[in-house]
Amino acid sequence: MKFFIDTADLDQIKTAYSWGCVAGVTTNPSLYAKTGGKLADFEAHMVKIAEACPDVPVSAESTATTTEEMVAEGLRLAALAPNIVVKLPICAESLAATKELKKHGVDVNMTLIFTVPQALMACSAGARYVSPFVGRFDDIAEDGIDQLSAIVTAVKNYYGPEHTEIIAASLRTPNHVTQAALLGADIATVPFAAMEKCLHHPLTDAGLAAFEADWAKVSAAE
């Protein structure tokens, strides 16, 4: 399973990318808003992200609402950098836009996927990635991991990763990441704070502290 980082914060992206385990970046309007960014600077910001990690895909989301507008904005976003993927929310208009964008060689990440039919329709339309959400199910007292399991099984019944990859999204904890990996998701897109948590375990931290303490004794020995 590959790790993507789910943020529009350039410093966080650069830090995570430096670790060598980040294989992509996902952004959305809400994440961009958290950076304090302005509308006029959005495309320039996407270029900065794409340039910061030029060998991995960067999802930039369209905010258009009609098929024609999605196609036009998608083509414009894709032209910003060779590694930009156009992100669209699942709906009738975006399915049609995905079909058209694929004709132009533009990869689409279909987001806000919550059901098996949504995921399969996105795959059928030609989406390069589908992004089923986990954490938002938890917010309404439903099991997001169960929903992810159904989507992974259904998509892999019919499509291989060369056609469509599954991005487990809205992952908030190391356990979410673990479950996504066990279920066979191709990718986990993880916020920076959750990715940092994935680096730690109490036993790891205790072991490091013990190593440091013991080495300090060695260093102090005469």
Side-chain angles (χ1 to χ4, degrees):
M1 185 181 72
K2 293 180 283 190
F3 280 88
F4 283 13
I5 184 165
D6 192 32
T7 181
D9 185 296
L10 194 56
D11 289 336
Q12 290 181 352
I13 291 167
K14 288 178 178 179
T15 297
Y17 183 69
S18 74
W19 297 344
C21 61
V22 169
V25 181
T26 54
T27 70
N28 63 41
S30 297
L31 293 174
Y32 179 64
K34 287 181 180 179
T35 70
K38 299 177 181 178
L39 178 61
D41 300 327
F42 171 71
E43 292 187 4
H45 191 76
M46 292 301 106
V47 170
K48 289 178 182 178
I49 293 174
E51 290 176 344
C53 40
D55 58 341
V56 303
V58 174
S59 288
E61 187 161 348
S62 168
T63 56
T65 56
T66 70
T67 296
E68 294 75 16
E69 291 170 343
M70 288 178 183
V71 171
E73 187 172 4
L75 290 172
R76 188 172 69 251
L77 290 171
L80 294 174
N83 55 327
I84 283 186
V85 173
V86 176
K87 196 174 184 184
L88 298 175
I90 182 72
C91 61
E93 292 80 7
S94 65
L95 289 174
T98 297
K99 180 181 178 181
E100 187 63 28
L101 287 168
K102 187 176 182 181
K103 294 177 183 177
H104 293 273
V106 175
D107 287 340
V108 170
N109 174 3
M110 193 73 80
T111 190
L112 289 176
I113 299 287
F114 290 96
T115 70
V116 167
Q118 287 177 330
L120 291 176
M121 292 172 80
C123 292
S124 184
R128 182 68 187 84
Y129 305 95
V130 292
S131 292
F133 281 36
V134 173
R136 294 195 191 186
F137 272 112
D138 295 347
D139 292 341
I140 58 171
E142 293 188 23
D143 192 334
I145 296 299
D146 278 352
Q147 299 294 339
L148 176 63
S149 177
I151 289 170
V152 169
T153 299
V155 169
K156 294 199 172 190
N157 278 342
Y158 304 103
Y159 299 97
E162 71 284 349
H163 183 283
T164 303
E165 289 185 280
I166 301 166
I167 303 177
S170 187
L171 303 182
R172 300 172 179 172
T173 68
N175 183 58
H176 279 168
V177 175
T178 299
Q179 296 306 315
L182 292 173
L183 291 173
D186 300 294
I187 299 159
T189 190
V190 187
F192 185 74
M195 193 172 285
E196 283 189 311
K197 289 179 182 178
C198 288
L199 288 170
H200 295 281
H201 185 277
L203 294 177
T204 302
D205 296 341
L208 286 171
F211 290 159
E212 290 176 1
D214 290 338
W215 194 247
K217 293 176 184 177
V218 171
S219 301
E222 296 182 358

